[in-house]
Amino acid sequence: LAPLASDEPLLGPDGLACATNGDLVVAQFGGGRLLHLHADGSLAAIVPVPLRYPTNVAFDADEQTLLVTAMGDNQPPYSGAL
């Protein structure tokens, strides 16, 4: 759907959030980005995030804010950000 050249062996989808209209936002672990998919499965957007390992996403109650958790690397102590 959205190929990414990477040397990251763990590259792949992780957490996701589903909007009320059926759209999905998928955290791409090891890819440093989110994939926004329309309800029909087509790619709406690729959204870069500042850390390489996004792990989860969640909408707030009115779907106006998307919260993203991510790590800077995949080694302990797993420092990250929200």
Side-chain angles (χ1 to χ4, degrees):
L1 180 65
L4 178 65
S6 175
D7 61 349
E8 174 54 58
L10 299 175
L11 176 70
D14 202 348
L16 61 85
C18 184
T20 54
N21 69 357
D23 282 9
L24 292 176
V25 177
V26 181
Q28 190 175 43
F29 188 82
R33 63 189 192 167
L34 308 176
L35 304 178
H36 174 190
L37 307 174
H38 289 297
D40 66 5
S42 64
L43 182 64
I46 296 173
V47 181
V49 295
L51 298 175
R52 185 173 181 184
Y53 298 92
T55 57
N56 215 335
V57 291
F59 288 107
D60 69 348
D62 60 3
E63 294 184 358
Q64 296 301 303
T65 301
L66 181 70
L67 303 170
V68 180
T69 58
M71 301 181 307
D73 60 49
N74 65 354
Q75 300 297 315
Y78 305 109
S79 62
L82 173 67

